[in-house]
Amino acid sequence: MWVGFFLGDVVTNKQVIFKNFVEGFPKETDMYVKTSSISLSVEEGSNAVLVKNLYLSCDPYMRTQMTLIEDPTDLSSFVLGSPVEGFGVAKVVDSAHPDFKKGDLVWGFTRWENYSLIKNPQGLFKINHTDVPLSYYTGILGMPGMTAWAGFFEICAPKKGEYVYVSAASGAVGQLVGQFAKLMGCYVVGSAGSKEKVELLKNKLGFDDAFNYKEENLVSALKRCFPKGIDIYFENVGGKMLDAALLNMRNRGRIAVCGMVSQYNLSKPEGVHNLMLLLEKRIRMEGFVVFDFFHQYSKFLDTVLPSIREGKIVYVEDIAEGLENAPAALVGLFNGRNVGKQVVIVSRK
Amino acid sequence: MWVGFFLGDVVTNKQVIFKNFVEGFPKETDMYVKTSSISLSVEEGSNAVLVKNLYLSCDPYMRTQMTLIEDPTDLSSFVLGSPVEGFGVAKVVDSAHPDFKKGDLVWGFTRWENYSLIKNPQGLFKINHTDVPLSYYTGILGMPGMTAWAGFFEICAPKKGEYVYVSAASGAVGQLVGQFAKLMGCYVVGSAGSKEKVELLKNKLGFDDAFNYKEENLVSALKRCFPKGIDIYFENVGGKMLDAALLNMRNRGRIAVCGMVSQYNLSKPEGVHNLMLLLEKRIRMEGFVVFDFFHQYSKFLDTVLPSIREGKIVYVEDIAEGLENAPAALVGLFNGRNVGKQVVIVSRK
């Protein structure tokens, strides 16, 4: 037994290790790549699953895990000296859990390494549809897709003809919110941080208009794009962007607070000054966490998969190759280097 | 005709005139009292109503009308050189409107003077129940009462056993929110700005606990009063108070934005820094305007009148005597001089 264990099972395992807690913007050197080894078999009766990671997801929320979270609720800090954790697509190599068997494709919570032993696979979903790119399960068919879907349809309660504004609009979530809004018959404007992204929004993702938030006064740009005001603001940015949007909201507007990426790297978040407008304009502003909607995943798939197959929704990905390039890909999220959903390919099969 | 007009109809009319737009805290000298004259008869076919004002209401929202409102929606600025406008209780002296007749008691939009010609009486409600103090129609049975009722029941969607925090809790609205919450079976804590008000909350108005916001650190006081956190925050104050409440909200908390009185006298509102917690804690924050709920007034009366008659709800008023003292009464709202609902008596009958 002891000899067999070493002979058949153990392989090298490249890992992206979290090195230190971060202040301000994260740097590549806050992580490092190391090689260790891992047994590819799972202890019987353990409920664990051993997966080979194929695609890893870089998501803005991961910034919060790079800071020490004193009192964790949904998310804990990354563990110093351990691999970065996040969403990914993986293949089951061995399983002691009745729901998973060798060869299954899954998406969900995994770690940034070649192989991961998932002791509690409750955070894994089986992939049953493989006629779409597997990487989509890190984006449009995974957590960001669910985020856009739940945030837009459940929190924003959109109506046909309404005016919708999406910040960080070319990102993993924003590009979908805009397309969902267009399918609903809304008028949609997005903002992004480069000319290339603005063109993408207008020419590929079907937004009615878009502007570069780095090159325009936010209040004027929103006034120009929404002369009648904003009914729905899908908030990914926070700070000054929220203040500007508040100034241009319509009566009974809704603000879905999905993220505040402009604030994640500040030691103290910016003050938001225009909240009195919530009152005058009867605005509802509501935060949400996608985990609360995961029980609706199959309903979500039934809606979104046909739209992908029929070409009614497209999805833009930014692909990095290899675990070595994963730290730069993650860090790039926070200076807007990525165009579309940032994915890291660990292995294509 | 011409002679008769002067002989029978014209009386002196004391008025509180709005003198100048205000920066910072309003002062008594931003208004002045003058005496003019008014005809007590209404032109037939005009739809107008002539009322004798009995009780006038001092409300925090009136501060916004002391500033030039460039683009009025619900409220316009006070008119320079004209009487202050606001809610009040009045008696109909003459009427050309089919819904009102001489001798009717009404509450609603009127002006700060002995007699007012109301050209469009859509903002007047007939008073049918006079077994309660008439002044209550400026408070518990008027606009502030409707505000507390709609804000608490419609916006906060309270459940039995929830933890409710009310700021400006001894004010016209806050004291009712606390009592409504107690009737629902909630745990209620209020804050106010003096020892006397804190005692009032605990000993007369039935709050479970109360603290003086001027004497305690807000974050610590809320942590002490709500060791398990806040489910519902009824927001009357804004600024630092909102930031402190956000820190102590529970998951799925609700914040009804009723007012932000700490901000009304600032040239630039304070920044609110803790909005990222909306996201993490899935908080819904919603502004509302009481005018949107006035169509439910008779339903509101059916709920609240019996509670008053049975002594289940009490109401604390701060009464100023005479139009001469009205400017000081209004200004006093903004430095917390009033204890309970601030009313001005113009005439007792």
Side-chain angles (χ1 to χ4, degrees), chain A residues 59 107 136 138-158 164-184 188 205 207 232-236 255-259 286 288-294 296-297 300-301 303-304 308 313-315 341, chain B residues 279:
Chain A
D59 294 296
W107 76 269
Y136 275 18
T138 67
I140 183 170
L141 295 175
M143 184 278 289
M146 279 292 291
T147 302
W149 184 76
F152 185 62
F153 291 107
E154 301 272 331
I155 307 293
C156 298
V164 176
Y165 172 51
V166 187
S167 56
S170 69
V173 174
Q175 58 175 307
L176 283 174
V177 173
Q179 293 181 83
F180 288 149
K182 286 310 299 172
L183 289 176
M184 271 290 296
V188 190
L205 295 166
F207 283 63
I232 289 174
Y233 172 36
F234 198 98
E235 163 68 301
N236 289 312
I255 300 176
V257 184
C258 174
E286 188 165 353
F288 71 100
V289 173
V290 66
F291 307 135
D292 299 342
F293 298 90
F294 271 10
Q296 296 188 55
Y297 182 64
F300 158 77
L301 267 193
T303 316
V304 177
I308 297 175
I313 295 183
V314 297
Y315 200 61
K341 166 67 196 175
Chain B
L279 173 56

Side-chain angles (χ1 to χ4, degrees), chain A residues 74 269 272-273 282 285 287 292, chain B residues 74 269 272-273 282-283 285 292:
Chain A
D74 299 299
V272 172
H273 297 270
R282 303 101 156 125
M285 185 164 161
D292 299 342
Chain B
D74 299 299
V272 172
H273 297 271
R282 303 100 158 125
I283 293 167
M285 185 164 163
D292 299 341

Side-chain angles (χ1 to χ4, degrees), chain A residues 73-74 242 252 257-260 263-264 268-273 275-276 278-280 282-289 291-292, chain B residues 73-74 242 252 257-260 263-264 268-273 275-276 278-280 282-289 291-292:
Chain A
T73 50
D74 299 299
L242 176 56
R252 300 183 195 285
V257 184
C258 174
M260 292 193 169
Q263 306 298 300
Y264 297 167
K268 184 181 181 185
E270 283 179 278
V272 172
H273 297 270
L275 292 173
M276 276 212 286
L278 293 181
L279 174 56
E280 184 185 324
R282 303 101 156 125
I283 293 167
R284 174 165 59 81
M285 185 164 161
E286 188 165 353
F288 71 100
V289 173
F291 307 135
D292 299 342
Chain B
T73 50
D74 299 299
L242 176 55
R252 301 183 194 286
V257 185
C258 174
M260 291 194 170
Q263 306 298 300
Y264 296 167
K268 183 181 181 185
E270 283 179 278
V272 172
H273 297 271
L275 291 173
M276 275 212 285
L278 293 181
L279 173 56
E280 185 185 324
R282 303 100 158 125
I283 293 167
R284 173 165 60 81
M285 185 164 163
E286 188 164 354
F288 71 101
V289 173
F291 308 135
D292 299 341

